[in-house]
Amino acid sequence: MTAATHSTLFPQVPETPDAVLDGLDPEQREVALALHGPVCVLAGAGTGKTRAITHRIAYGVRAGILQPATVLAVTFTNRAAGEMRGRLRQLGATGVQARTFHSAALRQLQYFWPKAVGGELPRLLERKVQLVAEAAARCELRLDRNELRDVTSEIEWAKVTQTVPADYPAAVAKTQRDAPRDPAVLSQIYSTYEQLKRDRSVIDFEDVLLLTVGILQDRSDIAEHVRGQYQHFVVDEYQDVSPLQQRLLDLWVGDRDDLCVVGDASQTIYSFTGATPDHLLNFRTRHPGATVVKLVRDYRSTPQVVHLANGLLSQAHGKAADHRLELVSQREKGPEPVYTEYSDEPTEAESTARRIRDLIAAGVPAGEIAVLYRVNSQSEVYEQALADAGVPYQLRGAERFFERAEVREAGTALRGAARAGRNDSLLDEAEGLPSQVRAVLSTKGWTSRPPAGSGAVRDRWESLAALVRLAEDFEAAKPGATLTDLVRELDERAAAQHAPTVQGVTLASLHSAKGLEWDAVFLVGLTEGMMPIAYAKTDEQVEEERRLMYVGITRARVHLSLSWALSRSPGGRASRRPTRFLNGLRPGSASSGARSGAGGGGGIDRGTGRAAASRTPAVERKHRGPVRCRVCGRTLTDAGEMKLMRCEECPSDMDEALYGRLYDWRAAQATLLGQPDFCVFTEKTLMAIAEAVPSTEGELVVIAGVGNRKLSRFGTDVLAICAGEAVDGEPGDDVDET
């Protein structure tokens, strides 16, 4: 089957309706053919949900079953809506409306306002922060920047949950929500903010939905007009709908059932904005005859990444966890996830930057690497570390690609060159589209070699380089294409916000990484208090943090690194602990109780180690039975496998950093003793120790190749190293191999 997440940049439009279905797997094909009645698609991460629903729409349009103008596809971000429009265009399904809830509602509001209310629609308030600050000041409160942001978010939550100012304190108490200020005070700010808007005849984005709902509820003639226009609805990321968005959707659909929803309850991470997975989870209850299709074939990530993702959710609790999807990777095996503990945050950042530099040197494009963190304030140390390492990066959530000054300038220059044609002297020596683009953009700062360092100059170059690569891909897909053709393509992409890839490492928060993917992902800062975040108090809040980490893990295609630092700064007290979410999954950690039916990730909870701690080393050695693989359970007979306590082909969960420390310690011991390294411990024994990460003598002695004699000679050093402590390097004596 064709991978769900990979395709050529400029595919040929399918010649026939049936050709639209080519390459879909059986479940995706079932989605594409389910064109009538309520349909619910439960789609796990990386399973090709956007592919399935865009092919569904395109097949319906191309087969004449759906009229393009009667289809409304809604999602939650302009980027996602733009991607959907781009895919539909490539499939030959033009004329379909693909919009966010807000843009679809605003379009209707602008059209119907004169008829329903009269006059012009009030001006849309692009940013409400300033008005919230003024409302707080009128309530004799001065809010700093962070407080202002939190209060603004709280007002947005109240509005999308359809909570009026007077009811806000009760709503906070009912939902056990942590309000940034006293609820009564926030209610007063909220009320004042609403009054200021009325006084100045402005509306905010939440009002767009509220007013559209109000008009459709009050004016049946307008509601029927909308329902006559749109007869078939598709809702992507349905787990993220708020009560207000669901109310609007209900008014759009009316008493019909031509509705297709797509979502994954395990990726519900926006409850702070009012999102709830209840509408997705209760869809069958509200639509008893609905067709339900589950997409679980993961085309994005390797089995190792998928294994960890499944293991993480296997420990989840709550309603969303009861409906979790067990992903099945469709990719070849890849490297195991790497778990690394650091002494402090700068060391973690510097090491991450070095590893990224090594990946780039090994052939992984910088644009296919991401560093993901819980909060935006964590980015600064990684920006500095990457800059020091000479690695280009981009901050996710910064200015949109087509709105950047250099991109606008480049577009103007390319349009001018396209109009001038061969009359432009710049193109005299340029043969072929890519050469022409390079010639034009060379006047705007593009060079064949990137500038040194980072900063604005490098950012500008990366933007122009992305346009050069786009021209190369465009010419390869459409031989003979002209500058005019490329300019037209750029205009269409700008309208759809379908930006080309900028070749820099992405720095992003876990929330902003939703919907994206990379070849290599570094999840950093995974400590208690940050993951889960300190203010996640209730069980449901903690479970949402787990889902957020699940989203982070499933962004990785091949390489996945998870790390944490024991202190904030060098020399600080090592008081931090790694996130509880990795218990039983990372090497050397105890399980927090997995639910049945799912395995762990790169690490395995080793029950033998826990049992061994209750016995004396000698007794444990004497009563040892058959050695079984701790991964698959097979009885082991090979000496090397018995040392590792697993089959050679079974996944390794070795702590690479620990192995490196043990390896160096062994070399020092062997040098002091004047004996070969293997006389201290063999390679296999070192690997077994690094996989088991023993914390007691009982856990160490059961590892083949240790034994009571070596335990007495080296046990203290080895256990100290496993605990991350320094050792004095003094060797033992009477060394021999047991």
Side-chain angles (χ1 to χ4, degrees), residues 428-508:
D428 287 347
E429 303 295 326
E431 291 296 332
L433 178 62
S435 295
Q436 293 171 1
V437 171
R438 293 188 200 101
V440 173
L441 296 188
S442 65
T443 66
K444 299 299 176 183
W446 180 84
T447 57
S448 58
R449 296 175 65 85
S454 59
V457 173
R458 180 61 183 250
D459 290 344
R460 180 181 179 88
W461 184 91
E462 290 288 354
S463 296
L464 299 178
L467 293 174
V468 171
R469 286 190 297 273
L470 183 69
E472 292 168 348
D473 293 331
F474 190 66
E475 200 272 341
K478 300 180 183 296
T482 65
L483 265 179
T484 301
D485 296 328
L486 178 64
V487 167
R488 188 180 302 114
E489 174 68 23
L490 289 175
D491 288 342
E492 290 175 350
R493 281 173 168 258
Q497 286 299 325
H498 184 193
T501 302
V502 175
Q503 285 302 320
V505 173
T506 299
L507 297 178

Side-chain angles (χ1 to χ4, degrees), residues 128-161:
K128 59 173 69 72
V129 172
Q130 243 180 340
L131 209 59
V132 172
E134 186 175 340
R138 292 199 177 191
C139 296
E140 300 183 344
L141 284 172
R142 186 181 181 87
L143 305 178
D144 64 29
R145 186 173 62 179
N146 290 331
E147 288 177 315
L148 196 54
R149 182 194 62 203
D150 291 343
V151 170
T152 301
S153 297
E154 203 65 8
I155 290 174
E156 291 171 350
W157 173 83
K159 297 185 75 166
V160 299
T161 56

Side-chain angles (χ1 to χ4, degrees), residues 394-446:
Q394 57 177 330
L395 282 171
R396 176 73 184 166
E399 191 177 21
R400 289 179 180 175
F401 181 83
F402 288 105
E403 294 172 1
R404 298 175 188 175
E406 64 270 20
V407 174
R408 293 199 304 269
E409 292 171 12
T412 300
L414 289 170
R415 276 187 203 88
R419 284 194 299 269
R422 283 300 176 181
N423 294 323
D424 191 331
S425 59
L426 273 173
L427 307 181
D428 287 347
E429 303 295 326
E431 291 296 332
L433 178 62
S435 295
Q436 293 171 1
V437 171
R438 293 188 200 101
V440 173
L441 296 188
S442 65
T443 66
K444 299 299 176 183
W446 180 84

Side-chain angles (χ1 to χ4, degrees), residues 123-341:
R123 180 175 59 87
L124 182 62
L125 190 65
E126 293 287 342
R127 295 180 71 251
K128 59 173 69 72
V129 172
Q130 243 180 340
L131 209 59
V132 172
E134 186 175 340
R138 292 199 177 191
C139 296
E140 300 183 344
L141 284 172
R142 186 181 181 87
L143 305 178
D144 64 29
R145 186 173 62 179
N146 290 331
E147 288 177 315
L148 196 54
R149 182 194 62 203
D150 291 343
V151 170
T152 301
S153 297
E154 203 65 8
I155 290 174
E156 291 171 350
W157 173 83
K159 297 185 75 166
V160 299
T161 56
Q162 302 174 83
T163 304
V164 298
D167 294 341
Y168 172 76
V172 169
K174 182 179 180 180
T175 58
Q176 299 183 357
R177 187 175 178 85
D178 278 335
R181 285 258 177 167
D182 179 84
V185 173
L186 283 173
S187 174
Q188 186 181 5
I189 297 173
Y190 178 15
S191 178
T192 306
Y193 166 76
E194 291 296 311
Q195 184 60 52
L196 284 172
K197 285 198 292 119
R198 287 191 292 271
D199 292 345
R200 296 174 189 183
S201 296
V202 295
I203 59 174
D204 59 26
F205 277 101
E206 289 70 44
D207 291 329
V208 170
L209 301 184
L210 285 164
L211 291 170
T212 306
V213 164
I215 288 175
L216 294 178
Q217 284 181 161
D218 295 343
R219 292 290 298 268
S220 59
D221 58 328
I222 293 177
E224 288 307 314
H225 185 118
V226 172
R227 291 167 193 159
Q229 170 69 51
Y230 297 117
Q231 299 168 19
H232 191 91
F233 297 86
V234 177
V235 185
D236 194 12
E237 303 288 5
Y238 192 56
Q239 77 278 353
D240 290 333
V241 294
S242 68
L244 180 56
Q245 288 164 332
Q246 181 62 47
R247 181 63 188 137
L248 177 59
L249 180 63
D250 289 340
L251 288 165
W252 281 341
V253 176
D255 57 3
R256 298 164 298 172
D257 61 3
D258 274 336
L259 171 65
C260 174
V261 300
V262 189
D264 178 10
S266 296
Q267 296 188 70
T268 306
I269 58 173
Y270 295 111
S271 69
F272 61 90
T273 67
T276 170
D278 290 348
H279 305 296
L280 175 67
L281 299 178
N282 298 332
F283 191 82
R284 274 296 282 274
T285 302
R286 291 176 14 246
H287 303 276
T291 298
V292 178
V293 183
K294 294 183 179 180
L295 303 182
V296 297
R297 302 176 195 244
D298 188 315
Y299 295 95
R300 176 187 300 158
S301 306
T302 63
Q304 286 73 16
V305 173
V306 168
H307 188 58
L308 176 57
N310 285 338
L312 180 69
L313 286 190
S314 74
Q315 300 177 351
H317 302 279
K319 189 174 181 180
D322 292 338
H323 293 79
R324 67 189 177 89
L325 299 169
E326 187 86 7
L327 300 179
V328 181
S329 176
Q330 305 298 297
R331 299 194 59 170
E332 295 294 324
K333 288 183 178 180
E336 291 291 329
V338 176
Y339 304 83
T340 314
E341 182 175 279

Side-chain angles (χ1 to χ4, degrees), residues 661-678:
R661 295 196 299 271
L662 289 168
Y663 189 92
D664 293 343
W665 167 84
R666 183 187 70 162
Q669 295 290 309
T671 299
L672 289 171
L673 291 169
Q675 295 184 5
D677 290 359
F678 69 82

